[in-house]
Amino acid sequence: MRKKLEAAAEAARKQLNKQFSEDAPLPEGTPLSKETAKVGQTVFLPSLRQNGTIVAVNGGDVTVQVGILKTNVPAKNCLLVKGKTKVSEDLRPKKRKGVCP
C-alpha cells in the first residue's frame, strides 16, 4: 500500500512540475523580467500606450520597436501580449532585388 501512495505522489509531482515549468508560456499582461524577455516577443508599453516587438535584450533592459521608433526600456515596464511571436528572420533587413552586394 505504501508503494502505491509513493507512486501516486510521484505522478502528482511530475504533473505539477510539467504545469509549472519555466518553459510554460506566461499569461497575457504579465510584466517581463530579464529571464523571460526574448527577442521577437510582442509587448505592450504602458508609457507609449502601444504594442511593440522586442528586437534586443540587454541584461535587465530591452530594445523595443514600435513602428519606426526603437526605444530602450526596463524589461519590468513591458507587459506580455498574446499574439504571434515574430521569427528572427522577420527582424533582419530584407535584401533588395537588383542591388549588388
Side-chain angles (χ1 to χ4, degrees):
M1 177 152 173
R2 182 177 175 136
K3 289 192 180 203
K4 287 183 182 179
L5 287 175
E6 287 177 3
E10 186 62 30
R13 262 189 228 104
K14 285 182 182 180
Q15 185 177 10
L16 285 173
N17 285 338
K18 186 177 180 182
Q19 287 177 349
F20 295 109
S21 71
E22 292 179 12
D23 296 334
L26 295 171
E28 184 174 8
T30 304
L32 296 179
S33 66
K34 63 181 180 180
E35 292 83 21
T36 58
K38 295 181 181 131
V39 173
Q41 283 181 321
T42 302
V43 295
F44 178 74
L45 297 175
S47 59
L48 297 175
R49 297 182 186 160
Q50 293 286 322
N51 287 344
T53 304
I54 296 176
V55 293
V57 179
N58 310 316
D61 293 337
V62 293
T63 303
V64 180
Q65 184 165 0
V66 179
I68 62 169
L69 172 73
K70 286 185 183 177
T71 182
N72 292 325
V73 294
K76 65 182 179 181
N77 292 349
C78 298
L79 302 176
L80 186 63
V81 175
K82 279 192 177 177
K84 294 183 179 179
T85 301
K86 292 188 177 183
V87 184
S88 60
E89 292 176 11
D90 294 342
L91 299 175
R92 286 188 276 171
K94 305 277 190 244
K95 289 188 178 180
R96 293 172 42 191
K97 293 182 181 178
V99 178
C100 296

